[in-house]
Amino acid sequence: MSQISILVVDDEKEIADLVEIYLVSDGYRVFKADNAKDGLEILEKEEVHLVLLDIMMPGMDGLEMCKKIRETNNIPIIMLSARSADLDKILGLGTGADDYVVKPFNPLELTARVKSQLRRYTQLNPNSGAREGDKNEISIKGLVINKDNHKVTVYGEEIKLTPIEFDILYLLASNPGKVFSTDEIFEKVWNEKVYEANNTVMVHIRRLRGKMKEDTRQNKIITTVWGVGYKIEK
């Protein structure tokens, strides 16, 4: 992969400039936009590997822009917002974001989140070193997961997952019958100690089930164990 590029979309110039300083010092190439329209144009023209996206912007807000990105692109998206309420986090993650950071934030914490998301994205990138023909696969129920090329099919239909969604599904499928609590899923997938993890994990599970069309199937692949967590049966 060539130099990693990050798009920062935020109408607060001081914040965008501060984030740029820290990202450039870590070796990233940075594009900036102060509105969603310009941000989407940059995405069309440039190769971008991650988006830092403010929610509250004039015109099209960050939630709507996130939905637009997700129509065609699975790159990591980290939402930035001054609103810390759980409902706002659920809305942000529900539109397709991978993570949510509350303003004011510590720039070092933000760059740590960026690195974490990029590690997953690099694994999904076809140039990341996975060898053609490797068959490191899990086949369970109607689900087939290839860890080498990160291809997932559900009853023969390929589905496109974000890196976080893939990691959650792989965790459950590689431990058939084991029930994972939301806290356990958060700690294993995000590699962080739990902080308000329940809603974050639940929103990603909901998105995952939507892509797998679980609502149309009588036999669900992901089983909810009420009051305990989630599992995939053998």
Side-chain angles (χ1 to χ4, degrees), residues 87-154:
L87 179 59
D88 296 314
K89 293 183 181 180
I90 291 172
L91 284 172
L93 295 169
T95 58
D98 297 282
D99 205 351
Y100 186 108
V101 177
V102 178
K103 297 179 180 178
F105 49 78
N106 181 329
L108 294 176
E109 179 193 348
L110 180 64
T111 55
R113 300 282 188 92
V114 165
K115 289 172 183 174
S116 176
Q117 293 298 331
L118 284 171
R119 275 196 298 271
R120 293 186 172 90
Y121 180 67
T122 302
Q123 290 172 349
L124 280 174
N125 190 284
N127 297 321
S128 64
R131 294 183 301 278
E132 191 87 23
D134 280 354
K135 291 296 180 183
N136 188 1
E137 286 189 347
I138 294 175
S139 182
I140 185 169
K141 290 187 151 181
L143 178 69
V144 179
I145 307 174
N146 187 306
K147 191 178 183 185
D148 294 317
N149 60 22
H150 281 61
K151 181 178 178 181
V152 177
T153 58
V154 180

Side-chain angles (χ1 to χ4, degrees), residues 2-234:
S2 57
Q3 185 181 19
I4 293 174
S5 298
I6 296 174
L7 171 61
V8 180
V9 186
D10 196 318
D11 63 327
E12 295 184 67
K13 185 177 184 302
E14 296 81 5
I15 290 179
D17 288 348
L18 176 66
V19 170
E20 180 184 26
I21 290 169
Y22 277 84
L23 292 176
V24 169
S25 71
D26 277 347
Y28 302 117
R29 183 184 183 195
V30 176
F31 298 102
K32 290 189 296 183
D34 60 9
N35 63 79
K37 180 175 177 293
D38 289 349
L40 290 171
E41 288 179 359
I42 291 172
L43 277 172
E44 285 184 10
K45 297 174 183 176
E46 305 288 348
E47 183 182 14
V48 173
H49 304 100
L50 181 143
V51 179
L52 290 171
L53 179 56
D54 183 38
I55 290 182
M56 302 297 289
M57 293 187 295
M60 182 189 297
D61 65 15
L63 297 174
E64 193 60 36
M65 181 178 174
C66 185
K67 289 179 187 176
K68 287 278 188 187
I69 296 171
R70 281 291 175 252
E71 289 174 5
T72 59
N73 205 319
N74 278 331
I75 59 174
I77 299 173
I78 300 177
M79 297 293 241
L80 307 175
S81 178
R83 300 162 62 175
S84 61
D86 279 352
L87 179 59
D88 296 314
K89 293 183 181 180
I90 291 172
L91 284 172
L93 295 169
T95 58
D98 297 282
D99 205 351
Y100 186 108
V101 177
V102 178
K103 297 179 180 178
F105 49 78
N106 181 329
L108 294 176
E109 179 193 348
L110 180 64
T111 55
R113 300 282 188 92
V114 165
K115 289 172 183 174
S116 176
Q117 293 298 331
L118 284 171
R119 275 196 298 271
R120 293 186 172 90
Y121 180 67
T122 302
Q123 290 172 349
L124 280 174
N125 190 284
N127 297 321
S128 64
R131 294 183 301 278
E132 191 87 23
D134 280 354
K135 291 296 180 183
N136 188 1
E137 286 189 347
I138 294 175
S139 182
I140 185 169
K141 290 187 151 181
L143 178 69
V144 179
I145 307 174
N146 187 306
K147 191 178 183 185
D148 294 317
N149 60 22
H150 281 61
K151 181 178 178 181
V152 177
T153 58
V154 180
Y155 293 105
E157 180 182 349
E158 185 174 355
I159 59 172
K160 300 294 185 183
L161 302 181
T162 66
I164 287 282
E165 292 163 354
F166 181 92
D167 285 354
I168 292 173
L169 188 61
Y170 190 83
L171 173 67
L172 296 176
S174 58
N175 295 275
K178 176 175 170 57
V179 181
F180 287 90
S181 69
T182 53
D183 287 356
E184 287 175 317
I185 293 172
F186 188 89
E187 290 182 351
K188 289 180 181 295
V189 171
W190 275 261
N191 292 315
E192 296 179 20
K193 291 186 178 179
V194 177
Y195 67 100
E196 304 172 4
N198 287 357
N199 285 334
T200 300
V201 172
M202 287 167 62
V203 171
H204 281 87
I205 291 280
R206 193 180 309 135
R207 272 172 38 197
L208 189 51
R209 282 175 157 162
K211 291 183 178 183
M212 295 167 67
K213 300 179 181 176
E214 290 274 73
D215 58 336
T216 66
R217 307 188 197 284
Q218 186 172 0
N219 296 317
K220 311 294 185 189
I221 294 175
I222 299 176
T223 303
T224 301
V225 181
W226 295 107
V228 184
Y230 301 96
K231 66 177 178 178
I232 293 180
E233 287 287 6
K234 294 181 181 178

